[in-house]
mmCIF file of all heavy atoms in Angstrom:
data_model
loop_
_atom_site.group_PDB
_atom_site.id
_atom_site.type_symbol
_atom_site.label_atom_id
_atom_site.label_comp_id
_atom_site.label_asym_id
_atom_site.label_seq_id
_atom_site.Cartn_x
_atom_site.Cartn_y
_atom_site.Cartn_z
ATOM 1 N N LEU O 241 0.510 -9.328 -15.356
ATOM 2 C CA LEU O 241 1.905 -9.785 -15.401
ATOM 3 C C LEU O 241 2.375 -10.229 -14.015
ATOM 4 O O LEU O 241 3.030 -11.260 -13.867
ATOM 5 C CB LEU O 241 2.810 -8.661 -15.918
ATOM 6 C CG LEU O 241 2.774 -8.424 -17.438
ATOM 7 C CD1 LEU O 241 3.485 -7.117 -17.786
ATOM 8 C CD2 LEU O 241 3.432 -9.585 -18.172
ATOM 9 N N MET O 242 2.035 -9.434 -12.981
ATOM 10 C CA MET O 242 2.479 -9.822 -11.632
ATOM 11 C C MET O 242 1.852 -11.157 -11.217
ATOM 12 O O MET O 242 2.525 -12.023 -10.646
ATOM 13 C CB MET O 242 2.132 -8.738 -10.598
ATOM 14 C CG MET O 242 2.624 -9.113 -9.209
ATOM 15 S SD MET O 242 2.150 -7.939 -7.939
ATOM 16 C CE MET O 242 0.403 -8.260 -7.795
ATOM 17 N N HIS O 243 0.559 -11.338 -11.535
ATOM 18 C CA HIS O 243 -0.083 -12.604 -11.138
ATOM 19 C C HIS O 243 0.456 -13.778 -11.973
ATOM 20 O O HIS O 243 0.484 -14.908 -11.486
ATOM 21 C CB HIS O 243 -1.612 -12.458 -11.175
ATOM 22 C CG HIS O 243 -2.092 -11.612 -10.030
ATOM 23 N ND1 HIS O 243 -2.375 -12.129 -8.780
ATOM 24 C CD2 HIS O 243 -2.225 -10.269 -9.911
ATOM 25 C CE1 HIS O 243 -2.696 -11.140 -7.963
ATOM 26 N NE2 HIS O 243 -2.615 -10.003 -8.616
ATOM 27 N N ALA O 244 0.940 -13.482 -13.201
ATOM 28 C CA ALA O 244 1.586 -14.542 -14.002
ATOM 29 C C ALA O 244 2.890 -14.976 -13.330
ATOM 30 O O ALA O 244 3.231 -16.166 -13.328
ATOM 31 C CB ALA O 244 1.853 -14.036 -15.418
ATOM 32 N N ILE O 245 3.614 -14.026 -12.741
ATOM 33 C CA ILE O 245 4.851 -14.368 -12.016
ATOM 34 C C ILE O 245 4.500 -15.232 -10.803
ATOM 35 O O ILE O 245 5.140 -16.252 -10.536
ATOM 36 C CB ILE O 245 5.592 -13.089 -11.519
ATOM 37 C CG1 ILE O 245 5.903 -12.125 -12.650
ATOM 38 C CG2 ILE O 245 6.860 -13.464 -10.729
ATOM 39 C CD1 ILE O 245 6.699 -12.673 -13.775
ATOM 40 N N MET O 246 3.460 -14.803 -10.083
ATOM 41 C CA MET O 246 3.062 -15.561 -8.888
ATOM 42 C C MET O 246 2.724 -17.004 -9.256
ATOM 43 O O MET O 246 3.170 -17.952 -8.620
ATOM 44 C CB MET O 246 1.853 -14.890 -8.233
ATOM 45 C CG MET O 246 2.147 -13.528 -7.630
ATOM 46 S SD MET O 246 0.593 -12.684 -7.277
ATOM 47 C CE MET O 246 1.144 -11.367 -6.205
ATOM 48 N N LEU O 247 1.936 -17.167 -10.339
ATOM 49 C CA LEU O 247 1.485 -18.510 -10.740
ATOM 50 C C LEU O 247 2.627 -19.387 -11.221
ATOM 51 O O LEU O 247 2.557 -20.606 -11.117
ATOM 52 C CB LEU O 247 0.463 -18.383 -11.883
ATOM 53 C CG LEU O 247 -0.927 -17.951 -11.474
ATOM 54 C CD1 LEU O 247 -1.765 -17.681 -12.718
ATOM 55 C CD2 LEU O 247 -1.581 -19.040 -10.630
ATOM 56 N N SER O 248 3.682 -18.737 -11.775
ATOM 57 C CA SER O 248 4.776 -19.533 -12.362
ATOM 58 C C SER O 248 6.003 -19.567 -11.451
ATOM 59 O O SER O 248 7.086 -19.919 -11.883
ATOM 60 C CB SER O 248 5.140 -18.972 -13.747
ATOM 61 O OG SER O 248 5.421 -17.584 -13.649
ATOM 62 N N SER O 249 5.830 -19.170 -10.161
ATOM 63 C CA SER O 249 6.933 -19.266 -9.188
ATOM 64 C C SER O 249 6.983 -20.684 -8.615
ATOM 65 O O SER O 249 6.038 -21.459 -8.744
ATOM 66 C CB SER O 249 6.706 -18.277 -8.042
ATOM 67 O OG SER O 249 6.787 -16.958 -8.509
ATOM 68 N N THR O 250 8.086 -21.004 -7.970
ATOM 69 C CA THR O 250 8.224 -22.303 -7.289
ATOM 70 C C THR O 250 8.424 -22.069 -5.791
ATOM 71 O O THR O 250 9.449 -21.484 -5.430
ATOM 72 C CB THR O 250 9.442 -23.081 -7.830
ATOM 73 O OG1 THR O 250 9.357 -23.134 -9.254
ATOM 74 C CG2 THR O 250 9.497 -24.479 -7.251
ATOM 75 N N PRO O 251 7.478 -22.482 -4.930
ATOM 76 C CA PRO O 251 6.154 -23.012 -5.262
ATOM 77 C C PRO O 251 5.259 -21.911 -5.828
ATOM 78 O O PRO O 251 5.504 -20.733 -5.565
ATOM 79 C CB PRO O 251 5.629 -23.475 -3.890
ATOM 80 C CG PRO O 251 6.317 -22.608 -2.900
ATOM 81 C CD PRO O 251 7.663 -22.319 -3.469
ATOM 82 N N PRO O 252 4.222 -22.306 -6.597
ATOM 83 C CA PRO O 252 3.349 -21.282 -7.175
ATOM 84 C C PRO O 252 2.497 -20.585 -6.119
ATOM 85 O O PRO O 252 2.183 -21.168 -5.081
ATOM 86 C CB PRO O 252 2.461 -22.080 -8.136
ATOM 87 C CG PRO O 252 2.571 -23.495 -7.721
ATOM 88 C CD PRO O 252 3.842 -23.667 -6.950
ATOM 89 N N LEU O 253 2.129 -19.342 -6.416
ATOM 90 C CA LEU O 253 1.265 -18.585 -5.509
ATOM 91 C C LEU O 253 -0.031 -18.273 -6.236
ATOM 92 O O LEU O 253 0.009 -17.800 -7.373
ATOM 93 C CB LEU O 253 1.920 -17.249 -5.174
ATOM 94 C CG LEU O 253 3.012 -17.230 -4.133
ATOM 95 C CD1 LEU O 253 3.553 -15.818 -3.999
ATOM 96 C CD2 LEU O 253 2.430 -17.684 -2.805
ATOM 97 N N MET O 254 -1.140 -18.503 -5.577
ATOM 98 C CA MET O 254 -2.433 -18.223 -6.209
ATOM 99 C C MET O 254 -3.295 -17.496 -5.192
ATOM 100 O O MET O 254 -3.765 -18.106 -4.234
ATOM 101 C CB MET O 254 -3.045 -19.566 -6.633
ATOM 102 C CG MET O 254 -4.461 -19.538 -7.136
ATOM 103 S SD MET O 254 -4.788 -18.197 -8.276
ATOM 104 C CE MET O 254 -5.624 -19.017 -9.561
ATOM 105 N N TYR O 255 -3.465 -16.199 -5.364
ATOM 106 C CA TYR O 255 -4.243 -15.421 -4.387
ATOM 107 C C TYR O 255 -5.716 -15.291 -4.767
ATOM 108 O O TYR O 255 -6.524 -14.881 -3.964
ATOM 109 C CB TYR O 255 -3.647 -14.015 -4.254
ATOM 110 C CG TYR O 255 -2.318 -13.979 -3.520
ATOM 111 C CD1 TYR O 255 -1.136 -13.704 -4.193
ATOM 112 C CD2 TYR O 255 -2.245 -14.206 -2.150
ATOM 113 C CE1 TYR O 255 0.082 -13.650 -3.525
ATOM 114 C CE2 TYR O 255 -1.032 -14.149 -1.476
ATOM 115 C CZ TYR O 255 0.117 -13.877 -2.173
ATOM 116 O OH TYR O 255 1.317 -13.821 -1.501
ATOM 117 N N TRP O 256 -6.042 -15.592 -6.026
ATOM 118 C CA TRP O 256 -7.410 -15.360 -6.488
ATOM 119 C C TRP O 256 -8.381 -16.394 -5.913
ATOM 120 O O TRP O 256 -8.017 -17.534 -5.649
ATOM 121 C CB TRP O 256 -7.489 -15.458 -8.013
ATOM 122 C CG TRP O 256 -6.766 -14.360 -8.749
ATOM 123 C CD1 TRP O 256 -5.659 -13.684 -8.335
ATOM 124 C CD2 TRP O 256 -7.096 -13.832 -10.032
ATOM 125 N NE1 TRP O 256 -5.285 -12.767 -9.284
ATOM 126 C CE2 TRP O 256 -6.146 -12.839 -10.347
ATOM 127 C CE3 TRP O 256 -8.100 -14.108 -10.960
ATOM 128 C CZ2 TRP O 256 -6.172 -12.112 -11.533
ATOM 129 C CZ3 TRP O 256 -8.129 -13.388 -12.154
ATOM 130 C CH2 TRP O 256 -7.172 -12.396 -12.423
ATOM 131 N N GLU O 257 -9.620 -15.959 -5.773
ATOM 132 C CA GLU O 257 -10.714 -16.870 -5.425
ATOM 133 C C GLU O 257 -11.736 -16.792 -6.551
ATOM 134 O O GLU O 257 -11.654 -15.880 -7.375
ATOM 135 C CB GLU O 257 -11.325 -16.442 -4.091
ATOM 136 C CG GLU O 257 -10.312 -16.628 -2.987
ATOM 137 C CD GLU O 257 -10.886 -16.536 -1.594
ATOM 138 O OE1 GLU O 257 -12.114 -16.396 -1.458
ATOM 139 O OE2 GLU O 257 -10.084 -16.594 -0.667
ATOM 140 N N PRO O 258 -12.711 -17.704 -6.582
ATOM 141 C CA PRO O 258 -13.706 -17.639 -7.666
ATOM 142 C C PRO O 258 -14.359 -16.256 -7.778
ATOM 143 O O PRO O 258 -14.572 -15.745 -8.883
ATOM 144 C CB PRO O 258 -14.727 -18.719 -7.279
ATOM 145 C CG PRO O 258 -13.907 -19.704 -6.497
ATOM 146 C CD PRO O 258 -12.876 -18.906 -5.755
ATOM 147 N N ALA O 259 -14.626 -15.620 -6.634
ATOM 148 C CA ALA O 259 -15.264 -14.289 -6.666
ATOM 149 C C ALA O 259 -14.339 -13.244 -7.308
ATOM 150 O O ALA O 259 -14.814 -12.293 -7.942
ATOM 151 C CB ALA O 259 -15.659 -13.860 -5.260
ATOM 152 N N THR O 260 -13.018 -13.434 -7.151
ATOM 153 C CA THR O 260 -12.050 -12.510 -7.764
ATOM 154 C C THR O 260 -12.222 -12.543 -9.283
ATOM 155 O O THR O 260 -12.332 -11.504 -9.948
ATOM 156 C CB THR O 260 -10.599 -12.952 -7.407
ATOM 157 O OG1 THR O 260 -10.523 -13.256 -6.015
ATOM 158 C CG2 THR O 260 -9.584 -11.898 -7.780
ATOM 159 N N GLN O 261 -12.238 -13.768 -9.813
ATOM 160 C CA GLN O 261 -12.365 -13.969 -11.260
ATOM 161 C C GLN O 261 -13.685 -13.392 -11.783
ATOM 162 O O GLN O 261 -13.726 -12.751 -12.835
ATOM 163 C CB GLN O 261 -12.280 -15.480 -11.549
ATOM 164 C CG GLN O 261 -12.510 -15.887 -12.975
ATOM 165 C CD GLN O 261 -11.347 -15.473 -13.883
ATOM 166 O OE1 GLN O 261 -10.290 -15.076 -13.401
ATOM 167 N NE2 GLN O 261 -11.571 -15.528 -15.188
ATOM 168 N N ALA O 262 -14.751 -13.580 -11.006
ATOM 169 C CA ALA O 262 -16.066 -13.085 -11.448
ATOM 170 C C ALA O 262 -16.040 -11.552 -11.557
ATOM 171 O O ALA O 262 -16.605 -10.974 -12.500
ATOM 172 C CB ALA O 262 -17.148 -13.535 -10.465
ATOM 173 N N ILE O 263 -15.358 -10.886 -10.627
ATOM 174 C CA ILE O 263 -15.301 -9.416 -10.677
ATOM 175 C C ILE O 263 -14.477 -8.956 -11.886
ATOM 176 O O ILE O 263 -14.858 -8.038 -12.611
ATOM 177 C CB ILE O 263 -14.705 -8.840 -9.364
ATOM 178 C CG1 ILE O 263 -15.592 -9.229 -8.179
ATOM 179 C CG2 ILE O 263 -14.571 -7.323 -9.448
ATOM 180 C CD1 ILE O 263 -14.946 -9.014 -6.825
ATOM 181 N N VAL O 264 -13.344 -9.644 -12.111
ATOM 182 C CA VAL O 264 -12.490 -9.291 -13.253
ATOM 183 C C VAL O 264 -13.301 -9.373 -14.554
ATOM 184 O O VAL O 264 -13.268 -8.463 -15.391
ATOM 185 C CB VAL O 264 -11.259 -10.230 -13.303
ATOM 186 C CG1 VAL O 264 -10.557 -10.172 -14.649
ATOM 187 C CG2 VAL O 264 -10.285 -9.876 -12.172
ATOM 188 N N GLN O 265 -14.044 -10.471 -14.713
ATOM 189 C CA GLN O 265 -14.813 -10.625 -15.959
ATOM 190 C C GLN O 265 -15.907 -9.570 -16.076
ATOM 191 O O GLN O 265 -16.150 -9.026 -17.151
ATOM 192 C CB GLN O 265 -15.398 -12.034 -16.032
ATOM 193 C CG GLN O 265 -14.286 -13.001 -16.426
ATOM 194 C CD GLN O 265 -14.728 -14.449 -16.418
ATOM 195 O OE1 GLN O 265 -15.720 -14.809 -15.793
ATOM 196 N NE2 GLN O 265 -13.969 -15.280 -17.103
ATOM 197 N N ALA O 266 -16.539 -9.248 -14.948
ATOM 198 C CA ALA O 266 -17.590 -8.223 -14.984
ATOM 199 C C ALA O 266 -16.986 -6.869 -15.371
ATOM 200 O O ALA O 266 -17.535 -6.156 -16.223
ATOM 201 C CB ALA O 266 -18.271 -8.142 -13.620
ATOM 202 N N VAL O 267 -15.829 -6.535 -14.783
ATOM 203 C CA VAL O 267 -15.195 -5.240 -15.079
ATOM 204 C C VAL O 267 -14.853 -5.158 -16.573
ATOM 205 O O VAL O 267 -15.073 -4.136 -17.224
ATOM 206 C CB VAL O 267 -13.935 -5.028 -14.203
ATOM 207 C CG1 VAL O 267 -13.099 -3.856 -14.700
ATOM 208 C CG2 VAL O 267 -14.330 -4.825 -12.745
ATOM 209 N N GLN O 268 -14.336 -6.276 -17.122
ATOM 210 C CA GLN O 268 -13.990 -6.269 -18.552
ATOM 211 C C GLN O 268 -15.238 -6.015 -19.412
ATOM 212 O O GLN O 268 -15.190 -5.245 -20.367
ATOM 213 C CB GLN O 268 -13.354 -7.601 -18.949
ATOM 214 C CG GLN O 268 -11.914 -7.696 -18.465
ATOM 215 C CD GLN O 268 -11.307 -9.072 -18.714
ATOM 216 O OE1 GLN O 268 -12.008 -10.087 -18.645
ATOM 217 N NE2 GLN O 268 -10.020 -9.107 -18.975
ATOM 218 N N SER O 269 -16.355 -6.623 -19.016
ATOM 219 C CA SER O 269 -17.557 -6.428 -19.848
ATOM 220 C C SER O 269 -18.118 -5.011 -19.660
ATOM 221 O O SER O 269 -18.601 -4.397 -20.605
ATOM 222 C CB SER O 269 -18.606 -7.504 -19.571
ATOM 223 O OG SER O 269 -19.232 -7.247 -18.349
ATOM 224 N N TRP O 270 -18.004 -4.444 -18.445
ATOM 225 C CA TRP O 270 -18.479 -3.062 -18.242
ATOM 226 C C TRP O 270 -17.658 -2.100 -19.097
ATOM 227 O O TRP O 270 -18.179 -1.151 -19.653
ATOM 228 C CB TRP O 270 -18.386 -2.650 -16.766
ATOM 229 C CG TRP O 270 -19.243 -3.480 -15.856
ATOM 230 C CD1 TRP O 270 -20.371 -4.170 -16.199
ATOM 231 C CD2 TRP O 270 -19.037 -3.723 -14.457
ATOM 232 N NE1 TRP O 270 -20.873 -4.830 -15.094
ATOM 233 C CE2 TRP O 270 -20.076 -4.563 -14.009
ATOM 234 C CE3 TRP O 270 -18.082 -3.315 -13.520
ATOM 235 C CZ2 TRP O 270 -20.200 -5.002 -12.690
ATOM 236 C CZ3 TRP O 270 -18.190 -3.729 -12.208
ATOM 237 C CH2 TRP O 270 -19.246 -4.577 -11.795
ATOM 238 N N ARG O 271 -16.327 -2.353 -19.178
ATOM 239 C CA ARG O 271 -15.502 -1.430 -19.969
ATOM 240 C C ARG O 271 -15.844 -1.554 -21.454
ATOM 241 O O ARG O 271 -15.924 -0.561 -22.164
ATOM 242 C CB ARG O 271 -14.011 -1.652 -19.725
ATOM 243 C CG ARG O 271 -13.227 -0.496 -20.349
ATOM 244 C CD ARG O 271 -11.924 -0.131 -19.737
ATOM 245 N NE ARG O 271 -10.847 -0.942 -20.263
ATOM 246 C CZ ARG O 271 -10.293 -1.946 -19.620
ATOM 247 N NH1 ARG O 271 -10.681 -2.235 -18.388
ATOM 248 N NH2 ARG O 271 -9.342 -2.644 -20.158
#
Side-chain angles (χ1 to χ4, degrees):
L241 283 169
M242 182 184 72
H243 287 273
I245 304 303
M246 293 166 165
L247 283 172
S248 54
S249 294
T250 308
L253 281 178
M254 172 44 133
Y255 288 110
W256 293 30
E257 294 193 4
T260 314
Q261 175 71 12
I263 299 166
V264 164
Q265 283 175 340
V267 167
Q268 284 174 326
S269 75
W270 298 335
R271 191 152 86 257

